[in-house]
Amino acid sequence: MRTPVVIIGGGPSGLLLSQLLHLAGVENVVLERRTRDYVLGRIRAGVLEWGTVEMLRAAGVGARMDREGFVHEGTFLAARNAQFRVDFVQRAGKPVMVYGQTEVTRDLYFARAASGGTVIHEAEGVTPHGLDTSAPWVTYVKNGTEERIDCEFVIGCDGFHGVSRGCIPASVLRETERVYPFGWLGILSETPPVSHELIYANHARGFALCSMRNAHLSRYYLQVPVDAHVENWSDDRFWDELRRRIPHEAAETLVTGPSIEKSIAPLRSYVAEPMRWGRLFLCGDAAHIVPPTGAKGLNLAMSDVHYLSEALIAHYRDGEPGGLDTYSERALARVWKATRFSWWMTTTLHRFDDQGAFGQRIQEAEIDYLASSPAAQAAMAENYVGLPF
């Protein structure tokens, strides 16, 4: 097989890149190690920056999002069990959209199938070759037979544990990481959300977040030690602890019920540089990980897709290679700003074992300042709804 672009990874970033390239007349093939059902079964965050919303619309996959998604014009922050609201539209001129990553992926799969796009699932042993030449190729195994695709560019959208990043020589790759000493215990319950907008709560017992998937499906999180075990957290224990940490008015109206999914996610900040080597380009989690506190993971992947699709389309349509040469620099500038914001949200809202009473009071003072300062709220809102591409 021969195609101009091979995309490794059939998650939302790989599928969106595939769709945008298709709309511009650039042929491509997507290779995904898992089955489609497995990819659609992943439970992921669902807060979309407005730039992501506009990208999905431009890709022709925004109709169901616009019908079923929830536009949030602000969010609540809390400390000492009292909350205040940051108005995104007033402070930053735009809202965010709550729409699950699984639904984004489903819409993209439908669009690629409707367009006759080539998405090869259960592609085992995907291996790029010749990335430092002008004629790379990719091999994989399907149904016990090794296949080969010759191409011009290879795009790694295969996540943190994928094969792509490891193709960059160790002498070239620079990795920066911070691992946080706690995780998020999250549950999904078929209950109405406690709030029409998200609640981020700082508490001396630890962070809590009240989120949602739709009007009848709620997502809640608690900060727990990094070595905590899900089996030690019954539903009753989770709900009791959540009530302690969230604002009093929310605790009084919280509707509880059996969890339909429960898991613990570790938190880390990670950036790999550069995001291009030879004919290989990295997108999304293959190049960077942020803690979920600032809702930046999926959105950063989408901004990578914006820069890379723009560069590839210019290359094939106009013969302009400059965008490909500057892709890594442009993408990383936004990645580091989002990494900073996610770090700030994480360190402001979470309890650290060594912070003591002083550290807790500093966090509370930071949140008090945010509550009273329009300028501080504008800075937070600008970052939360998404910096310009």
Side-chain angles (χ1 to χ4, degrees):
M1 189 186 301
R2 180 180 295 276
T3 190
V5 179
V6 171
I7 299 169
I8 304 175
S13 59
L15 293 171
L16 179 59
L17 179 60
S18 177
Q19 176 72 359
L20 291 171
L21 294 179
H22 163 78
L23 293 175
V26 180
E27 294 182 6
N28 61 88
V29 171
V30 178
L31 298 175
E32 168 55 47
R33 184 167 64 93
R34 302 289 192 172
T35 66
R36 174 172 167 162
D37 287 344
Y38 180 92
V39 175
L40 290 174
R42 294 168 177 157
I43 301 296
R44 294 291 189 269
V47 177
L48 306 182
E49 296 176 354
W50 209 247
T52 298
V53 170
E54 292 174 340
M55 282 185 67
L56 293 172
R57 289 171 177 167
V61 294
R64 191 164 71 96
M65 173 189 67
D66 286 330
R67 289 196 310 271
E68 301 178 11
F70 295 84
V71 175
H72 282 197
E73 297 186 350
T75 195
F76 292 97
L77 284 89
R80 297 186 297 270
N81 297 103
Q83 69 182 27
F84 65 96
R85 182 173 183 268
V86 176
D87 189 315
F88 296 151
V89 175
Q90 180 185 25
R91 301 303 183 197
K94 61 186 73 171
V96 294
M97 175 80 77
V98 173
Y99 188 64
Q101 178 173 320
T102 300
E103 304 310 314
V104 172
T105 307
R106 192 182 307 278
D107 295 341
L108 286 163
Y109 267 134
F110 181 82
R112 296 310 299 125
S115 302
T118 303
V119 181
I120 300 173
H121 288 91
E122 298 180 87
E124 299 288 344
V126 174
T127 306
H129 306 268
L131 295 171
D132 57 348
T133 74
S134 60
W137 71 97
V138 178
T139 58
Y140 65 96
V141 176
K142 175 75 173 180
N143 298 325
T145 302
E146 184 173 90
E147 306 285 353
R148 170 174 170 149
I149 307 177
D150 290 284
C151 58
E152 296 171 1
F153 298 103
V154 178
I155 316 301
C157 298
D158 49 346
F160 184 76
H161 298 289
V163 67
S164 299
R165 186 178 65 254
C167 295
I168 301 177
S171 60
V172 175
L173 187 68
R174 303 185 305 277
E175 300 175 281
T176 308
E177 182 176 35
R178 176 172 186 183
V179 177
Y180 295 91
F182 42 72
W184 277 16
L185 169 63
I187 72 167
L188 200 63
S189 64
E190 292 177 325
T191 55
V194 71
S195 170
H196 68 285
E197 294 175 337
L198 275 62
I199 301 174
Y200 289 86
N202 171 288
H203 195 276
R205 295 177 65 91
F207 168 77
L209 171 61
C210 302
S211 186
M212 61 184 292
R213 290 294 176 267
N214 58 51
H216 307 287
L217 192 62
S218 298
R219 186 73 163 157
Y220 296 102
Y221 298 95
L222 290 174
Q223 175 187 348
V224 295
V226 71
D227 58 353
H229 298 284
V230 170
E231 56 268 23
N232 295 333
W233 282 87
S234 67
D235 288 353
D236 287 343
R237 182 187 178 192
F238 182 94
W239 294 122
D240 288 344
E241 185 63 27
L242 182 66
R243 287 192 189 94
R244 291 188 182 98
R245 299 188 191 184
I246 62 178
H248 292 308
E249 58 192 276
E252 292 173 357
T253 60
L254 178 68
V255 177
T256 65
S259 62
I260 59 175
E261 191 272 340
K262 187 184 297 179
S263 59
I264 296 178
L267 273 65
R268 64 151 57 90
S269 298
Y270 170 88
V271 180
E273 303 176 77
M275 291 173 61
R276 178 200 180 169
W277 181 71
R279 293 298 179 105
L280 172 70
F281 296 81
L282 302 181
C283 265
D285 288 0
H288 42 74
I289 298 287
V290 289
T293 325
K296 290 288 165 261
L298 173 62
N299 292 295
L300 266 186
M302 295 312 198
S303 69
D304 292 346
V305 170
H306 167 80
Y307 294 126
L308 187 52
S309 63
E310 188 178 72
L312 286 167
I313 291 167
H315 170 76
Y316 282 106
R317 178 181 291 169
D318 308 319
E320 294 290 341
L324 295 174
D325 293 337
T326 60
Y327 163 71
S328 180
E329 180 182 355
R330 293 179 69 201
L332 282 167
R334 196 174 190 276
V335 164
W336 274 112
K337 291 183 179 72
T339 299
R340 181 211 67 83
F341 176 68
S342 297
W343 165 85
W344 174 80
M345 287 277 286
T346 302
T347 54
T348 299
L349 293 169
H350 289 74
R351 173 79 182 184
F352 290 79
D353 289 340
D354 60 352
Q355 72 183 40
F358 178 82
Q360 180 64 29
R361 292 305 300 270
I362 288 294
Q363 288 181 336
E364 293 169 358
E366 177 82 4
I367 295 169
D368 284 346
Y369 174 66
L370 187 63
S372 61
S373 169
Q377 289 187 19
M380 178 198 162
E382 180 184 31
N383 282 272
Y384 197 95
V385 304
L387 297 174
F389 292 151

